[in-house]
Amino acid sequence: TDRKKLHTAPVGQVFRLRPFHVLVATGGGYAGYRKYEDYKLQQLEKKGIEVPVKLASEWEVALYKSVPTRLLSRAWGRLNQVELPTWLRKPVYSLYIWTFGVNMKEAAVEDLHHYRNLSEFFRRKLKPQARPVCCVHSVISPSDGKILNFGQVKNCEVEQVKGVTYSLESFLGPRISTEEMHFSQAPAGNSFQKQLVTKEGNELYHCVIYLAPGDYHCFHSPTDWTVSHRRHFPGSLMSVNPGVARWIKELFCHNERVVLTGDWKHGFFSLTAVGATNVGSIRIYFDQDLHTNSPSYSKGSYNDFSFISNNNKEGIPMRKGEHLGEFNLGSTIVLIFEAPKDFRFNLKAGQKIRFGEALGSL
């Protein structure tokens, strides 16, 4: 008679709530564990110890995807838009500068009180002389960042980091019609890679540049070319730092990305901006119809948009070094292009590079 009554929730409510909470908590904890593993790998690399490739299993990728990174990225984007009181701006931005090693001496406006919110600070402009554009080489770096990989595309596979590849066709999607690209019709039996090569004797090349949170967040045109088509792949927003890129095969094919394709003097040219956690917003300056990180999307879907119309027969001409777009925090840019066999990269894997510096030339 002295026992207390135990009040319980209806069984239906318990089963409706628990799976989601457990999934988010488990996925979030696992993501934290992976961050710790990435840190240990970085320390080994600094000591010059070669780290063997260990790819994630399907269940590990599914568990990582269970973390609501798209929702978190949208929340982060809204937080970035909140105007900070003047007295709080310097402490907040100073902490970010110290954490990620930002060089504010390069900023067009060095006064931290000038930036009303985090978004403005992330997208800060540089002094004109801070990033001179190389005039000698035909292809320059479109952004600040770290070179993850580069070289020829072989067997329709592209390396995202050493030893870990992804499918060229999965990454770019089906080939765009020849009417839009102004390219000659390749035989239908040819591989996807050969269909992209439009001139005899040319090869297909690639370069992967990782933008860290402390890097300059805008990206520019890497060469003189014409953009004729945009393809937007909604998708996951997993981290794209080198540790995760080494762990998840075809990471760039899982994540949201915007593929710009067109042609330059040697044939096919493409630039792809890959989204990541807290980088759901990818902006292309001349494309007002592009909207990334939508609340819902169909898995495996993509949206096409052609810049060629009755009024514009050529597309969007871009000059080397011209402003092209921006990320909200930091992410990855992938260049895939056609060039003659004597094209050479002037790079080393793992090196830091800045916008305007040479990638390669003939």
Side-chain angles (χ1 to χ4, degrees):
T1 56
D2 294 332
R3 289 178 183 174
K4 294 181 180 180
K5 291 183 178 180
L6 178 64
H7 295 278
T8 58
V11 175
Q13 290 184 14
V14 173
F15 282 97
R16 278 200 300 271
L17 295 175
R18 276 187 178 174
F20 175 77
H21 292 160
V22 170
L23 198 61
V24 171
T26 306
Y30 193 74
Y33 166 74
R34 287 307 313 172
K35 287 288 186 183
Y36 174 68
E37 289 292 307
D38 294 342
Y39 171 77
K40 290 199 299 183
L41 289 175
Q42 289 173 7
Q43 297 306 307
L44 291 174
E45 287 180 344
K46 287 180 180 179
K47 295 178 181 178
I49 302 173
E50 187 172 347
V51 181
V53 174
K54 184 181 178 182
L55 294 177
S57 61
E58 290 186 12
W59 73 265
E60 287 178 309
V61 176
L63 188 58
Y64 191 0
K65 283 185 173 183
S66 71
V67 181
T69 51
R70 293 179 65 84
L71 178 62
L72 292 172
S73 297
R74 285 195 297 275
W76 175 255
R78 288 174 183 156
L79 179 63
N80 288 349
Q81 300 293 333
V82 175
E83 185 169 344
L84 297 176
T86 305
W87 62 269
L88 189 58
R89 293 174 189 176
K90 189 171 183 180
V92 171
Y93 302 147
S94 295
L95 177 62
Y96 186 89
I97 290 168
W98 176 79
T99 303
F100 296 108
V102 179
N103 184 4
M104 283 303 293
K105 291 183 179 179
E106 297 177 333
V109 180
E110 296 183 40
D111 182 12
L112 298 180
H113 295 101
H114 169 80
Y115 302 100
R116 294 173 298 177
N117 52 47
L118 285 165
S119 182
E120 286 189 2
F121 179 71
F122 294 148
R123 296 180 287 106
R124 62 193 175 277
K125 303 301 180 185
L126 300 181
K127 293 174 181 175
Q129 68 274 19
R131 295 291 186 275
V133 175
C134 177
C135 299
V136 178
H137 294 78
S138 55
V139 184
I140 62 168
S141 176
S143 67
D144 289 5
K146 178 181 180 181
I147 301 295
L148 293 189
N149 218 300
F150 63 92
Q152 282 190 21
V153 177
K154 297 179 180 179
N155 301 320
C156 293
E157 292 283 322
V158 186
E159 281 196 319
Q160 58 190 28
V161 294
K162 185 178 180 180
V164 182
T165 63
Y166 56 92
S167 163
L168 178 66
E169 186 168 7
S170 297
F171 182 69
L172 295 178
R175 188 167 182 263
I176 301 159
S177 67
T178 54
E179 289 79 7
E180 292 181 4
M181 296 296 293
H182 303 295
F183 292 164
S184 58
Q185 180 66 49
N190 280 7
S191 70
F192 182 79
Q193 178 178 334
K194 290 181 179 179
Q195 289 179 31
L196 295 179
V197 178
T198 63
K199 297 181 180 179
E200 188 175 351
N202 280 3
E203 297 288 347
L204 207 60
Y205 297 86
H206 74 98
C207 183
V208 183
I209 306 170
Y210 167 68
L211 289 74
D215 288 328
Y216 171 54
H217 288 65
C218 297
F219 51 92
H220 301 246
S221 176
T223 192
D224 295 334
W225 65 308
T226 301
V227 184
S228 56
H229 188 272
R230 178 258 291 162
R231 176 169 284 162
H232 171 217
F233 291 85
S236 302
L237 288 175
M238 295 184 283
S239 172
V240 293
N241 74 56
V244 177
R246 187 185 293 108
W247 180 56
I248 297 180
K249 183 177 174 62
E250 298 203 331
L251 171 64
F252 299 155
C253 297
H254 288 292
N255 272 16
E256 181 161 16
R257 60 198 181 277
V258 176
V259 183
L260 299 178
T261 53
D263 62 293
W264 69 319
K265 60 183 178 181
H266 299 297
F268 174 80
F269 199 97
S270 73
L271 180 149
T272 302
V274 183
T277 308
N278 294 336
V279 198
S281 175
I282 302 170
R283 183 182 174 195
I284 305 297
Y285 294 138
F286 57 74
D287 189 353
Q288 302 303 315
D289 295 320
L290 175 65
H291 300 286
T292 57
N293 197 11
S294 301
S296 61
Y297 69 96
S298 299
K299 185 178 179 180
S301 65
Y302 60 84
N303 305 305
D304 281 335
F305 184 85
S306 175
F307 298 109
I308 296 177
S309 62
N310 293 330
N311 298 326
N312 181 7
K313 301 291 186 181
E314 300 298 325
I316 308 294
M318 297 296 301
R319 304 294 296 174
K320 184 167 66 174
E322 186 177 350
H323 277 85
L324 183 55
E326 62 188 35
F327 295 110
N328 259 1
L329 189 59
S331 192
T332 297
I333 289 178
V334 180
L335 301 179
I336 298 174
F337 58 93
E338 172 186 359
K341 290 182 178 180
D342 56 351
F343 181 87
R344 294 292 180 270
F345 285 103
N346 300 316
L347 302 171
K348 292 181 180 179
Q351 78 171 71
K352 293 289 290 182
I353 198 166
R354 303 200 302 176
F355 155 61
E357 294 179 347
L359 285 184
S361 190
L362 296 170

